[in-house]
Amino acid sequence: MWSILIVEDEVHVRKSLIKNINWNESGFEVIGEASNGMNALAFIKEHQPDLVICDIVMPMMNGIELLKQTKEAGLSCLFVMLTCMNEFDYAQLALQHGAVDYILKLSMNAESLREVLRKVDQQLQRIAGQKSLRLYVEYQQFYADMWDRITDVIREESEPADSREADILPYVAVCSVLNGASRFSIEDFKALGWGDWDAHVVIHQFATMGQTTLFFWSRKAMDVQPPHHVGETPYPVVLCASVPSGHLLDAWRSTLRKLDEFWYSGQNGFHYFERKGSIEGNVHSLSWKIERKFIHYFEQGKVDECEALLGEIWDRMEQGVFPMHAVKHTANRLDKLMSRIADYSGAEPDVLSECTSHGELLAKLTARMRDGVRNGKKVSRTVTDHSEINKILDYIHEHYNTNITLKSLAQFVALEEHYLSSLFKKKTGVNFIDYLHRLRIEKAKHFIDHSDLTVNEVGGRVGFVNDNYFIKIFKRYTNMTPNMYRNAGGKKNT
């Protein structure tokens, strides 16, 4: 319904106008009345009606001045003026200031008023459509920024999450759908029969990582409960009741956490709820130790060990009730690591993100791992004809980021230290410390190429406890410092 304010200083005219017209059948609702321009202006500023039907000649502030001050205040309501025959010049002046139309009081009847309302309705719908499109485009980045906050990708310089919500409308209802690769639109939601959407409701859509969220902005809280008899939904659907716009962040986060239940169960269905309280955003991530173990197995081509570890990782995430987006980020990160290690093409960005259940994602990632081991480029490693040296090489590749010494390796294979040093160089062509440094620098280059880790963090991850020593060794083998290597484009220039 479009909202109307009636402004008329003659009480009998005002009351007659309100009572004798069936406003609802034309899609309008009278939300207020005023007897002078001053009171009307205060009401307009507070309630922002869609249409003002206003007398021209009134005490305190006339209709022309009310129209001008409303426009100067940046308020977008439309005006239809009421006038007498001898006020025609005023009516023309009102049109020049932006009034939609005028009605002669003496000839006003229900039919003539309905005709004016049809004209106003068309203009309001056109304005609403243009505003909705403009806001949709403007707020895509706003929703993207809010998504970053929900998924813990927070930038310190970004504005507060709720600083722009009131720019749209005071209330918002949120619906999140786990639709995967399938399309889900506003029309699909309406087809479910949830709610009666008026033309003044502004609807936005934001899709990412296999889920679509719809935002229903309105002037007042809407009753959007699903009907008692809803057919089976083709996707998991979660609908949060209408909330004040300042609570959008928590409402959206709440719908996603409810959607996580369907993610782990792998079932379709719907869930309607009224948000109560706020939900804190907790960081969910796997330890680097687990990922490093998976990388080691993959480098060795140990398919069964990789599959078992992936199963363990997925069980941990389910037991910890990781949010769906955190699980998908983990899957995409592991897939990228495998593709870089084995030099094969990673999955298309949406292949894993469009999964609609925890089990489906594990199955797809496991298949990616098996294909990578089978078809990818095997990681090169020195192999000798001496079993003890091969045993040491395996140990070095697995523990390169720990404190490895020639003495500890000699104890590991029960050989005398000096004898092992001579044997190692004879069988590999380089001495032990040179082999270890080359391996660590190759690993360091990998981290620089494929992460945003600092030089200090990279050095620590590959086994250098001293920053200056790491930089010195890195430069010895690459003729560049780590920062120079990163700035030069990494592996593209080696």
Side-chain angles (χ1 to χ4, degrees):
M1 291 286 181
W2 303 114
S3 56
I4 296 180
L5 169 66
I6 305 292
V7 188
E8 167 62 63
D9 63 318
E10 296 184 44
V11 178
H12 71 281
V13 175
R14 187 171 73 246
K15 297 300 182 183
S16 175
L17 189 60
I18 293 173
K19 292 182 178 180
N20 296 334
I21 300 295
N22 188 344
W23 299 98
N24 288 349
E25 72 175 9
S26 296
F28 289 83
E29 176 187 11
V30 177
I31 63 170
E33 55 182 292
S35 60
N36 62 70
M38 292 292 291
N39 291 341
L41 183 60
F43 185 94
I44 292 170
K45 288 181 177 180
E46 180 178 356
H47 299 283
Q48 298 187 30
D50 298 302
L51 173 63
V52 178
I53 297 180
C54 179
D55 190 12
I56 291 181
V57 179
M58 295 183 298
M60 299 180 69
M61 179 189 293
N62 65 38
I64 303 294
E65 187 62 26
L66 174 61
L67 171 59
K68 290 170 59 178
Q69 291 202 27
T70 299
K71 298 299 182 184
E72 290 171 359
L75 303 171
S76 59
C77 49
L78 301 184
F79 272 73
V80 170
M81 313 306 292
L82 299 176
T83 183
C84 299
M85 289 293 295
N86 59 356
E87 300 168 353
F88 184 73
D89 289 342
Y90 285 110
Q92 293 296 312
L93 183 60
L95 294 178
Q96 293 175 19
H97 283 290
V100 175
D101 207 341
Y102 64 89
I103 301 174
L104 294 174
K105 290 184 182 180
L106 295 180
S107 60
M108 181 175 59
N109 55 46
E111 182 55 38
S112 64
L113 188 54
R114 278 196 294 268
E115 183 59 34
V116 171
L117 292 178
R118 279 194 290 269
K119 179 179 178 180
V120 171
D121 177 65
Q122 291 175 357
Q123 186 161 341
L124 284 171
Q125 290 198 42
R126 184 167 59 253
I127 292 171
Q130 292 171 347
K131 181 180 180 181
S132 180
L133 178 61
R134 175 180 61 80
L135 289 176
Y136 178 82
V137 174
E138 286 182 3
Y139 277 81
Q140 284 304 291
Q141 185 57 52
F142 167 70
Y143 295 126
D145 291 343
M146 187 168 287
W147 173 262
D148 286 348
R149 291 176 178 275
I150 290 173
T151 57
D152 300 309
V153 183
I154 302 177
R155 296 183 297 274
E156 292 182 0
E157 70 275 13
S158 57
E159 60 184 300
D162 61 349
S163 62
R164 291 180 58 192
E165 285 125 27
D167 292 348
I168 306 179
L169 289 169
Y171 290 90
V172 60
V174 183
C175 175
S176 291
V177 183
L178 182 54
N179 53 298
S182 301
R183 177 181 178 273
F184 187 88
S185 66
I186 295 170
E187 289 70 27
D188 295 322
F189 178 86
K190 290 182 177 179
L192 296 174
W194 292 5
D196 180 19
W197 310 106
D198 292 330
H200 69 270
V201 176
V202 177
I203 308 176
H204 292 167
Q205 178 174 321
F206 179 80
T208 184
M209 297 190 75
Q211 67 88 27
T212 299
T213 299
L214 305 179
F215 305 91
F216 300 88
W217 296 91
S218 59
R219 289 188 178 85
K220 57 185 180 180
M222 299 180 296
D223 181 12
V224 291
Q225 290 194 44
H228 295 296
H229 303 289
V230 178
E232 182 179 352
T233 57
Y235 321 107
V237 180
V238 174
L239 178 63
C240 177
S242 191
V243 298
S245 62
H247 294 193
L248 172 58
L249 181 68
D250 283 329
W252 191 3
R253 182 178 282 135
S254 296
T255 64
L256 294 175
R257 291 303 278 160
K258 293 289 184 181
L259 206 59
D260 289 338
E261 298 174 13
F262 293 103
W263 166 257
Y264 285 107
S265 69
Q267 298 176 341
N268 294 333
F270 69 88
H271 187 103
Y272 171 80
F273 70 100
E274 295 185 6
R275 191 194 66 85
K276 295 179 180 179
S278 61
I279 292 182
E280 295 298 327
N282 298 317
V283 177
H284 296 77
S285 61
L286 293 173
S287 69
W288 167 244
K289 181 179 180 181
I290 295 176
E291 289 193 5
R292 188 177 62 200
K293 187 177 182 181
F294 176 80
I295 291 170
H296 169 70
Y297 286 153
F298 186 79
E299 287 178 334
Q300 301 300 309
K302 296 180 178 180
V303 175
D304 292 340
E305 287 83 350
C306 283
E307 185 169 351
L309 187 55
L310 282 178
E312 179 184 335
I313 291 171
W314 250 241
D315 286 344
R316 287 191 183 191
M317 289 192 291
E318 183 170 5
Q319 291 166 8
V321 196
F322 277 38
M324 172 178 51
H325 61 78
V327 179
K328 292 183 175 182
H329 278 306
T330 299
N332 280 309
R333 184 171 63 251
L334 292 176
D335 185 66
K336 288 178 181 178
L337 285 170
M338 290 189 293
S339 67
R340 290 163 181 164
I341 291 169
D343 194 21
Y344 71 94
S345 297
E348 291 298 320
D350 294 333
V351 168
L352 300 178
S353 292
E354 288 175 346
C355 290
T356 57
S357 74
H358 198 58
E360 178 192 359
L361 182 56
L362 174 59
K364 285 192 175 182
L365 186 62
T366 300
R368 294 283 303 162
M369 177 273 296
R370 289 183 173 277
D371 288 342
V373 171
R374 182 172 63 251
N375 302 322
K377 176 183 176 183
K378 301 298 185 294
V379 179
S380 61
R381 173 170 304 177
T382 303
V383 178
T384 72
D385 58 1
H386 196 288
S387 60
E388 298 304 318
I389 297 299
N390 290 340
K391 185 177 179 181
I392 285 175
L393 292 176
D394 285 341
Y395 184 90
I396 292 174
H397 278 261
E398 184 173 353
H399 301 91
Y400 65 88
N401 61 336
T402 64
N403 182 26
I404 302 176
T405 64
L406 188 62
K407 182 178 181 179
S408 65
L409 291 177
Q411 294 173 346
F412 178 62
V413 293
L415 292 175
E416 195 274 329
E417 185 176 343
H418 290 91
Y419 173 72
L420 175 59
S421 176
S422 176
L423 181 63
F424 189 97
K425 184 171 183 178
K426 179 180 179 181
K427 296 299 181 181
T428 65
V430 295
N431 60 40
F432 155 71
I433 196 62
D434 188 34
Y435 187 94
L436 178 61
H437 280 167
R438 288 183 185 275
L439 176 62
R440 285 176 170 175
I441 296 307
E442 286 303 311
K443 298 294 184 180
K445 288 163 64 177
H446 172 82
F447 284 120
I448 293 172
D449 288 335
H450 305 300
S451 77
D452 295 324
L453 296 174
T454 64
V455 170
N456 174 269
E457 291 170 330
V458 171
R461 288 202 175 182
V462 299
F464 290 98
V465 295
N466 182 282
D467 292 350
N468 291 333
Y469 187 59
F470 168 53
I471 295 171
K472 176 182 177 181
I473 298 302
F474 192 96
K475 187 173 182 180
R476 177 186 299 172
Y477 287 95
T478 66
N479 293 318
M480 291 183 282
T481 65
N483 280 330
M484 290 170 60
Y485 176 82
R486 171 170 278 162
N487 294 334
K491 65 180 181 180
K492 293 183 291 185
N493 292 277
T494 59

